Amino acid sequence: GTCGGTASRTDPNPTTGNFTVKGQDLEEIRVFDMLGKEVLTAKLTNTNSVDVNNLSNGIYNTVIITKTGTYQQKLTIKK
């Protein structure tokens, strides 16, 4: 979902191993593989940079949790 153009998103996408979560009031990001298994959870309270270097190439689903809502986005990792 979007809310007045301030939707949270990952950048860059595709990523090579590190990406930044853009948005306001960010709290957490969760990354799931295509089987629905959670492969990463990262708090976004002190930093909005996320390291996914330990994940394999492929397409993942991310859930970005903010104080005002939850956003889903696909993330592609290409190293």
Side-chain angles (χ1 to χ4, degrees):
T2 59
C3 177
T6 58
S8 301
R9 62 187 176 85
T10 57
D11 184 61
N13 190 1
T15 179
T16 55
N18 286 72
F19 64 87
T20 303
V21 181
K22 304 279 179 73
Q24 294 175 322
D25 298 323
L26 299 170
E27 292 188 335
E28 192 175 75
I29 185 169
R30 294 179 183 159
V31 182
F32 300 86
D33 65 19
M34 293 317 276
L35 300 174
K37 178 170 169 269
E38 188 172 305
V39 292
L40 180 80
T41 303
K43 294 276 183 217
L44 300 173
T45 42
N46 296 323
T47 175
N48 58 354
S49 178
V50 182
D51 179 349
V52 290
N53 279 298
N54 58 335
L55 298 182
S56 306
N57 287 353
I59 300 171
Y60 295 82
N61 288 312
T62 68
V63 176
I64 300 166
I65 299 160
T66 72
K67 288 185 173 65
T68 54
T70 302
Y71 302 89
Q72 294 190 346
Q73 184 187 341
K74 282 203 166 28
L75 172 72
T76 303
I77 300 175
K78 271 188 192 163
K79 298 179 209 171

